Amino acid sequence: MEQKKKVLAVLGPTASGKTALAIALARRLSGEVISNDSMQIYKGMTIGTAAPTREEMGEIPHHMIGAVPPGAAFSCADYAAMATPITEEVLARGKLPIFCGGTGLYLDAVLYGDGLSQSTKNPAVRAAFEKVAQEHGTDVLHGLLAAVDPASAAEIHPNNVRRVIRALEIYETTGVPKSQFDGLTPTSTAKYNCARIVLTFSSRELLYARIDRRVENMLKAGLIEEARRLYEDGLLGGDAPAAQAIGYKELLPYFAGESTLEAATQAICQNTRRYAKRQMTWFRRYKDAHIVYVDEDGQMRPTKALVQELCTALCLP
């Protein structure tokens, strides 16, 4: 039997230090970083998505960052179709692919061929719900989702028609609410031998403090200007992908003169905290992952110490 090719994945909630660790591991292990972040994939959204800067990347090649126009729809299947050839190219160069990001479903799409997502695709069902939205409106469509999957309905805004229809499609095709389906463990065999590293916190308060500080730094770095450009280009309206990104959608009321910047900032922090909790819930499903606590005594552990711990634990050079 042919031995599976080795890849690494650095996963965890936002503001957990994934980028710094992935870059440090890439330097030690002769690797290249492949982003599996659902929003870093879009061009012109570097500040709000905390995409690594040129200085942070250094000499380490990075892939799947700013690769898609912000107005384009992009699915797990699209990610797998784009990232898999890149993974093979990195391996062919004798380098180690290191996935880094907080979108676990994107990683699963590469590892398992998007088997779970493909099994839920039903164009006829999708078309039927699109007709409901057109003829009866978004509130009626959202009400259908609330009746079968209250958890997803609470998470998805009624105006995000694409996501509402996707959640209904999953339920109609599988009989399982999307909120439960997302937690299912893939049963197909992984394409690669993936060593998953999941970063987590002993202190939830430290994570939240880091999130608040990150938002503050984003604002200083020009988040408002970046978001305003997208807004003026019409890329933050309707159910455009960029309009759903935390850090951007909360600024819409501010741009419209309906909210203060302080209120928008608080909403970004709050929504980012909620997102981090959802990320941690998702990553707990990886039973074979190597869990790393990035904090100790209320402080972040040095990246160098994390690298040494991981290389020892995973038998890496």
Side-chain angles (χ1 to χ4, degrees):
M1 182 180 295
E2 184 179 357
Q3 190 172 11
K4 292 180 183 178
K5 298 169 184 176
K6 181 87 170 182
V7 302
L8 209 61
V10 179
L11 311 167
T14 186
S16 59
K18 296 185 296 294
T19 296
L21 180 58
I23 291 172
L25 285 167
R27 288 197 174 104
R28 174 155 173 168
L29 303 172
S30 187
E32 298 185 16
V33 176
I34 302 174
S35 171
N36 61 283
D37 184 289
S38 63
M39 290 301 161
Q40 287 183 5
I41 192 74
Y42 292 110
K43 295 177 183 177
M45 297 176 63
T46 55
I47 298 174
T49 64
T53 64
R54 289 292 178 188
E55 292 74 20
E56 289 173 324
M57 292 181 189
E59 77 288 3
I60 303 300
H62 281 64
H63 308 274
M64 301 298 288
I65 296 176
V68 177
F74 197 76
S75 68
C76 291
D78 295 327
Y79 178 83
M82 187 180 291
T84 301
I86 291 173
T87 305
E88 291 295 327
E89 290 170 9
V90 173
L91 288 164
R93 290 195 295 271
K95 302 292 187 179
L96 175 66
I98 302 177
F99 289 88
C100 177
T103 309
L105 199 55
Y106 274 20
L107 176 63
D108 285 355
V110 172
L111 296 180
Y112 302 99
D114 199 28
L116 284 176
S117 294
Q118 292 292 352
S119 68
T120 67
K121 294 186 182 300
N122 190 318
V125 169
R126 196 180 316 137
F129 284 122
E130 288 172 351
K131 185 176 181 180
V132 170
Q134 292 169 0
E135 295 182 354
H136 303 285
T138 57
D139 286 341
V140 171
L141 183 74
H142 193 263
L144 295 176
L145 179 60
V148 298
D149 188 358
S152 292
E155 181 186 358
I156 303 172
H157 193 279
N159 291 340
N160 193 340
V161 176
R162 179 173 58 87
R163 286 191 66 201
V164 172
I165 290 176
R166 178 60 183 144
L168 284 165
E169 181 185 14
I170 288 173
Y171 179 78
E172 289 295 324
T173 305
T174 67
V176 178
K178 179 182 181 297
S179 53
Q180 296 178 24
F181 183 84
D182 287 346
L184 294 177
T185 302
T187 55
S188 56
T189 303
K191 182 174 182 179
Y192 301 103
N193 177 12
C194 180
R196 291 188 184 89
I197 299 164
V198 173
L199 308 186
T200 191
F201 284 78
S202 301
S203 169
R204 187 70 60 89
E205 291 73 20
L206 177 60
L207 170 60
Y208 289 166
R210 284 176 59 83
I211 288 172
D212 291 348
R213 187 161 59 250
R214 169 175 282 191
V215 173
E216 180 182 342
N217 290 336
M218 285 177 174
L219 291 169
K220 291 179 180 178
L223 173 59
I224 294 174
E225 292 75 14
E226 181 178 80
R228 194 183 294 277
R229 284 195 298 272
L230 293 168
Y231 177 69
E232 292 175 350
D233 289 342
L235 297 172
L236 291 184
D239 61 351
Q244 312 310 318
I246 297 172
Y248 299 91
K249 62 183 179 181
E250 294 84 0
L251 289 170
L252 294 178
Y254 170 66
F255 292 154
E258 300 169 354
S259 171
T260 64
L261 179 58
E262 181 181 5
T265 301
Q266 290 176 349
I268 294 173
C269 292
Q270 185 178 49
N271 288 338
T272 304
R273 289 181 177 191
R274 290 172 177 166
Y275 179 56
K277 289 174 66 177
R278 292 198 298 272
Q279 287 175 303
M280 289 188 286
T281 298
W282 175 274
F283 293 128
R284 278 197 289 271
R285 67 199 282 271
Y286 296 135
K287 303 304 181 185
D288 60 345
H290 185 79
I291 307 299
V292 176
Y293 285 91
V294 297
D295 60 324
E296 188 173 32
D297 298 327
Q299 300 291 328
M300 294 295 290
R301 298 172 60 197
T303 300
K304 184 176 180 180
L306 297 178
V307 169
Q308 187 57 50
E309 174 188 317
L310 286 165
C311 289
T312 300
L314 300 175
C315 299
L316 298 170

